[in-house]
Amino acid sequence: GLEAALQGLKRAETSDRVHALLQQGAKLELQKQFKEAAEAYKQAFALDGFSAAAQEGQSRSARLEKETRFASAKAAADEAIQARDWNRAIAELQNALKVTPQNTEVQAQLKTARANAHQEAVQKALAKAFDYEKAFQWSEAREAYSETRKLDADHPEAKEGYTRVGTVIRALLQYQK
């Protein structure tokens, strides 16, 4: 039993430091500072490899820190979706997927957010083209229609507008000659 006694003595030598780290980890968990709590438990476990409390605290804090990061990113993404801020929603959904890559709900939301962002970009470019055309700014209108067609090559209004504005520009160039 000499080996078991030596291990017991070794644990006794570090028990004060281990206990202090366990207390620190518990305090940090109560303050919802899970990453720091996991580090404190990790240090305690490094000092006493037989401490079940340190091992349990480390895994619990790491799990809670991961859940908190996911919840934070998901809440920010939901808020951005409500505000129709697609770029921020996409970024936050990607952050949530970094934490839990297999979450199918977040994957579906990301796909929808990307589609909405694309649709909105097409509509903005088309509206800009219409505004330029109404203001008789033909070159700018053509650029805006071209931008719309880059986003959606088969968009019928963009094709029609691009052709229409091109015809006007050619007519103006003929007139100027």
Side-chain angles (χ1 to χ4, degrees):
L2 183 60
E3 189 174 318
L6 289 173
Q7 284 179 344
L9 283 173
K10 183 179 176 189
R11 287 187 76 194
E13 289 174 2
T14 60
S15 66
D16 290 341
R17 291 184 9 222
V18 169
H19 182 70
L21 287 168
L22 290 174
Q23 293 298 322
Q24 179 185 6
K27 182 180 175 185
L28 289 168
E29 272 188 283
L30 288 175
Q31 296 171 350
K32 299 195 183 303
Q33 297 177 350
F34 300 117
K35 189 174 186 176
E36 293 81 2
E39 186 59 36
Y41 287 127
K42 182 179 178 182
Q43 290 174 5
F45 190 66
L47 290 174
D48 182 3
F50 294 105
S51 174
Q55 186 177 24
E56 178 187 330
Q58 181 183 0
S59 64
R60 180 182 59 246
S61 294
R63 177 181 49 81
L64 289 171
E65 194 267 333
K66 183 178 178 181
E67 288 174 1
T68 302
R69 280 191 1 239
F70 175 79
S72 174
K74 181 76 167 78
D78 290 341
E79 182 182 309
I81 289 170
Q82 288 294 325
R84 302 184 61 79
D85 183 355
W86 302 118
N87 291 332
R88 195 180 81 171
I90 290 169
E92 292 297 342
L93 289 167
Q94 287 173 334
N95 287 339
L97 282 176
K98 287 178 185 173
V99 177
T100 56
Q102 302 303 322
N103 191 313
T104 55
E105 176 189 352
V106 174
Q107 289 173 346
Q109 280 185 311
L110 180 61
K111 184 177 180 181
T112 302
R114 284 183 174 149
N116 288 338
H118 178 75
Q119 179 78 17
E120 193 172 284
V122 169
Q123 291 303 320
K124 282 182 181 179
L126 190 61
K128 186 170 60 170
F130 287 153
D131 290 343
Y132 283 135
E133 192 172 356
K134 286 178 187 175
F136 306 111
Q137 296 175 330
W138 306 113
S139 297
E140 292 83 355
R142 187 171 188 187
E143 287 298 317
Y145 281 124
S146 177
E147 178 184 337
T148 305
R149 291 185 68 203
K150 285 178 187 172
L151 293 169
D152 185 357
D154 295 327
H155 196 283
E157 291 176 307
K159 282 182 175 180
E160 184 181 308
Y162 188 80
T163 303
R164 181 178 56 247
V165 170
T167 303
V168 170
I169 290 173
R170 280 191 299 282
L172 287 173
L173 287 173
Q174 283 273 335
Y175 176 76
Q176 289 172 357
K177 279 186 180 180

